[in-house]
Amino acid sequence: MPGRLLQALRAAPSSLSTKVESSQALHLPLFPPVYSVHPPTNSKSKSQESLVMDAFKRHSLSGRHHSDKKSPKVEPQKAAKMDMVVESPPLVFYNSSQSSTGALFSGQLKVNVTEPHVTFEKFEMRLLATVTTKKPVAQHCQDCATKVTEIHKWEFLKAPASLRHGMHEYPFSHLLPGHLPATTHSTLATLDYSLSAIATTSTGDKITYNRNLDIKRAIMPGSDKHSIRIFPPTNLTAAVTLPPVIHPIGDFPIEMRLSGIVTNKNDSQTRWKLRKLNWRIEETQKFISPACSKHAQKIGGDGKGVLHEDVRVIGNEEVKHGWKTDFQEGNIDVEFQAACNMALKPICDMESPNGMEVKHNFVIEMVVAEEWAPLKKLSQATPTGAARVLRTQFHLILTERAGLGISWDEEQPPMYEDVPASPPTYVDDYDLSRLDDEAGSLNL
Ligand SMILES: [Zn+2]
């Protein structure tokens, strides 16, 4: 498995560095090309170390930026103070990074000159993306732990300008590209966006203003997902309907039909009874920790990283009742509500070409026990002692609820790609699921 992973990463496009350099900060030097990482399937491993991989070269700004400034801050005792009025709605990217049109960010940077006048030599504002990992290649190394990338820069002055006492307004706007990953705070790494405005006066004084920007992503719900799982060697089949997306807050319905529960022989019948039904939502986080130039040797040179993976359960429950068994039809039908546990702070799905990723799976686990009955007296069933554990999982998209903001292009007519191609297919995926034969050991 590690070999496969290495190979996949080595096969990553090599055109990266030229692409990044020519695109000047606007197109995310932070997020190198997408390559496919096929992780070890052993999802039980906690914080799974550590495959050193050829990944990519990072371009980071030399200056460190500390993004823990939650609210606007104004530096005291300067010739001028800065403040900001944001005019655009909350920043929400609609749909996936491949199809999102982005979000418009606009407002006014306000400069309140407290002296009779002040001369600004330079006045600019940067939108920065800061990625901080909790698993740096070299412990306690700030440069390994934090990468800051400039996403956009506004230059408010073409030449030095003298400002009089009073308020001066500098409008700004930028269409944030929809491929940017949303603000994410995972247990392995954080991605934060911030604005950093700096005015340099003729005396060399720096007047600064910093503010965090929260970028969210909302994947619009499509139609429900229908999935089928089979459990050989039994005849059992599970047809499951899941919502297209789920949200951190609020419950969602799951419908399942387990069919093939009855097998008739000459004069008798065997059948499966559902004895236990559990579900859980698994959250898988990944991050590829990069190394700073000083510590690159630790992992075999520049452009490499260390893959970390963390799997946790962010919601689970036993469904104790509510299923209907129909031995005539050979089906068990069940409907239940599931939800994330808010206390565990679920993290929305995200994927960044720098190797940061959050994904979710919905896992259903059932215990079925076998019964035998003579065809003439079907009501007199006796347990045979055989039992099986049926385990199956489905990919779930956890995303913000739509409607937090207004998309900048909401008024535009739908584009060609937006027109639905065809009605939803009945089955979205079909998979052979794991079936554990634990007959006798379950004490049923
Ligand atoms: Zn380092």
Side-chain angles (χ1 to χ4, degrees):
M1 194 59 76
R4 221 177 87 204
L5 197 55
L6 272 165
Q7 260 180 358
L9 284 153
R10 288 209 175 105
S14 56
S15 58
L16 163 68
S17 46
T18 47
K19 213 168 158 188
V20 166
E21 272 150 22
S22 64
S23 68
Q24 288 283 335
L26 275 173
H27 263 288
L28 266 196
L30 169 70
F31 308 109
V34 184
Y35 43 79
S36 53
V37 178
H38 295 288
T41 45
N42 176 14
S43 60
K44 288 288 173 299
S45 52
K46 267 257 164 195
S47 268
Q48 194 184 37
E49 279 286 323
S50 290
L51 294 158
V52 178
M53 303 173 299
D54 291 1
F56 42 77
K57 295 204 170 183
R58 278 149 196 280
H59 295 246
S60 67
L61 298 183
S62 50
R64 291 274 74 85
H65 175 78
H66 301 284
S67 63
D68 50 351
K69 290 166 184 157
K70 285 270 187 282
S71 55
K73 260 191 189 165
V74 178
E75 301 243 326
Q77 294 146 5
K78 300 272 182 182
K81 292 175 182 173
M82 275 192 240
D83 201 1
M84 184 181 287
V85 176
V86 174
E87 290 162 351
S88 46
L91 296 168
V92 182
F93 291 154
Y94 286 96
N95 291 324
S96 68
S97 54
Q98 292 83 25
S99 59
S100 178
T101 50
L104 187 69
F105 176 62
S106 65
Q108 310 258 358
L109 194 55
K110 299 196 168 210
V111 178
N112 187 8
V113 178
T114 49
E115 303 279 302
H117 70 266
V118 65
T119 303
F120 281 181
E121 293 287 328
K122 242 172 102 179
F123 185 19
E124 54 194 26
M125 180 166 77
R126 288 179 165 85
L127 170 58
L128 303 172
T130 304
V131 176
T132 305
T133 177
K134 292 163 192 171
K135 306 238 174 213
V137 168
Q139 257 193 322
H140 312 301
C141 175
Q142 265 298 307
D143 293 334
C144 281
T146 305
K147 296 279 168 194
V148 182
T149 306
E150 184 179 304
I151 306 295
H152 188 70
K153 185 162 110 179
W154 293 265
E155 288 189 70
F156 293 115
L157 297 178
K158 294 263 182 289
S162 183
L163 307 183
R164 278 190 212 148
H165 181 273
M167 194 66 87
H168 303 260
E169 289 177 348
Y170 294 87
F172 59 84
S173 77
H174 184 59
L175 176 63
L176 301 181
H179 66 81
L180 291 176
T183 302
T184 300
H185 296 161
S186 83
T187 54
L188 296 175
T190 58
L191 165 61
D192 282 295
Y193 294 95
S194 60
L195 291 166
S196 166
I198 301 174
T200 311
T201 68
S202 51
T203 59
D205 203 12
K206 284 190 193 311
I207 297 155
T208 60
Y209 176 85
N210 293 292
R211 179 190 184 109
N212 264 29
L213 270 193
D214 194 18
I215 299 181
K216 291 182 151 76
R217 183 177 299 283
I219 312 270
M220 302 302 245
S223 45
D224 283 348
K225 286 185 194 163
H226 302 278
S227 301
I228 287 180
R229 299 287 188 266
I230 57 170
F231 301 95
T234 68
N235 295 323
L236 293 168
T237 300
V240 179
T241 303
L242 299 110
V245 298
I246 64 162
H247 307 295
I249 307 172
D251 52 7
F252 56 91
I254 303 287
E255 286 171 36
M256 181 175 66
R257 166 169 284 187
L258 198 59
S259 47
I261 61 167
V262 173
T263 308
N264 284 321
K265 288 172 190 154
N266 291 337
D267 51 0
S268 68
Q269 183 182 82
T270 55
R271 58 207 200 185
W272 295 105
K273 261 194 126 168
L274 184 59
R275 300 300 295 268
K276 213 170 168 194
L277 172 58
N278 286 293
W279 60 263
R280 65 177 182 271
I281 304 167
E282 280 182 358
E283 185 172 83
T284 303
Q285 304 176 17
K286 278 181 206 161
F287 187 69
I288 299 172
S289 296
C292 73
S293 50
K294 221 168 84 191
H295 292 115
Q297 277 327 108
K298 259 181 95 113
I299 52 169
D302 273 337
K304 298 189 177 185
V306 180
L307 174 69
H308 296 276
E309 190 178 306
D310 190 21
V311 181
R312 62 177 190 143
V313 173
I314 54 158
N316 66 299
E317 210 167 75
E318 182 177 348
V319 180
K320 294 235 160 106
H321 46 78
W323 57 80
K324 289 178 216 113
T325 306
D326 184 340
F327 288 127
Q328 218 75 43
E329 295 291 323
N331 295 330
I332 296 170
D333 284 290
V334 56
E335 278 182 49
F336 57 91
Q337 296 286 317
C340 298
N341 181 352
M342 274 304 293
L344 297 173
K345 295 195 167 75
I347 307 162
C348 285
D349 275 48
M350 77 89 81
E351 194 170 6
S352 167
N354 73 350
M356 194 170 171
E357 188 184 294
V358 182
K359 289 209 164 9
H360 298 87
N361 270 332
F362 191 78
V363 182
I364 296 178
E365 207 170 270
M366 290 168 278
V367 176
V368 289
E370 197 184 44
E371 284 183 350
W372 177 91
L375 279 181
K376 284 177 186 165
K377 290 178 181 172
L378 281 176
S379 55
Q380 292 181 11
T382 357
T384 65
R388 289 183 186 266
V389 178
L390 315 175
R391 226 176 257 129
T392 184
Q393 63 178 33
F394 309 88
H395 178 230
L396 264 189
I397 296 170
L398 177 61
T399 188
E400 297 290 350
R401 249 169 231 282
L404 289 169
I406 300 155
S407 184
W408 69 278
D409 61 343
E410 204 153 68
E411 299 303 313
Q412 283 188 352
M415 288 185 273
Y416 176 74
E417 309 89 86
D418 299 336
V419 178
S422 56
T425 47
Y426 180 65
V427 173
D428 296 300
D429 60 326
Y430 184 87
D431 192 21
L432 209 67
S433 284
R434 198 140 54 93
L435 182 140
D436 298 342
D437 195 349
E438 294 175 21
S441 64
L442 287 159
N443 211 11
L444 290 164

